[in-house]
Amino acid sequence: MLLEPEEPGPAVWRANAYHVLARAFRTPAEWTPALPETLRERFVPPDHPLRELATKTADAWEDALRDPEQTAVAHARLFLGPFEIQAPPYASLYLDPQRRLMGAVSQEAARAYAEAGLGPGPGPREAPDHVACELEFMYFLAFQQATTADREWADRQQRFWQGHLGRWLPELAANMAAAESHPFYDALARLLRGFAACEAKLLSGSEHFADGG
């Protein structure tokens, strides 16, 4: 759910940004026509340095929606295989020295979700350290920060970013960019890299973030 207050603050923009990024990493068959416009209008404020890049990524997303077959092929090559996966979307393959799926890194992500009050959803489930799941988790935490006065949610964001997502998201973006698989995913890689840099600066442990988001 997108947040729509009359005067969105930083936590609202960040929640919406994580929301749309998580959906960009889902399969193209799961996309909706509204997502590019959400990216264009809700990702960052009008005066943010990433605004132009977000607009270009939204344009490329609209083009991708018009060519679903080619986009699905690019998604598979990047994230699924069956042969070499160009940009593995699992934290385990970046943070676990033995690159084990569903090992300690996956368990670490699942534990963070459970501690925040989130349980497994119904139906088929992706590994908890899939990038879409981790982005969805950050969306949840930013949503809570934006809608409550409890600084616990800011603290959880900082811990998860510094100890987990922030340690591998830039490398995922670099792998996507190096693959040059599709104009949309190329643009998404640039946007993801810029967004990760902004988040790394913001989530550096400053009191300002914890107090105001």
Side-chain angles (χ1 to χ4, degrees), residues 5 9 13 19 22 40 50 63 74 80 99 102 117 120 123-124 139 170 177 180 184 196 201 204:
W13 284 105
H19 175 91
R40 188 179 287 112
L50 292 179
D63 290 341
L80 300 176
R99 296 171 61 86
M102 300 305 294
Y139 156 69
E180 297 183 336
F184 167 65
K201 183 177 180 180
S204 60

Side-chain angles (χ1 to χ4, degrees), residues 30-115:
E30 298 176 81
W31 293 346
T32 66
L35 285 170
E37 187 64 18
T38 300
L39 174 59
R40 188 179 287 112
E41 297 298 330
R42 304 289 186 86
F43 190 77
V44 288
D47 59 347
H48 195 280
L50 292 179
R51 181 72 173 204
E52 182 178 357
L53 186 52
T55 298
K56 291 180 178 179
T57 306
D59 293 343
W61 204 345
E62 289 176 337
D63 290 341
L65 281 163
R66 287 191 285 268
D67 188 6
E69 184 175 345
Q70 190 63 31
T71 306
V73 169
H75 180 274
R77 288 176 176 169
L78 277 171
F79 307 123
L80 300 176
F83 305 109
E84 179 185 3
I85 300 177
Q86 296 170 323
Y90 299 99
S92 298
L93 300 182
Y94 298 84
L95 302 181
D96 187 331
Q98 298 181 354
R99 296 171 61 86
R100 294 173 301 174
L101 289 173
M102 300 305 294
V105 173
S106 295
Q107 294 170 16
E108 178 186 350
R111 187 161 50 248
Y113 305 162
E115 290 172 353

Side-chain angles (χ1 to χ4, degrees), residues 3 8-18 139 141-147 157 202 209 212-213:
L3 290 172
V12 171
W13 284 105
R14 291 180 57 254
N16 289 340
Y18 276 112
Y139 156 69
L141 298 179
F143 182 101
Q144 297 299 323
Q145 182 189 4
T147 55
Q157 287 173 72
L202 180 67
F209 168 71

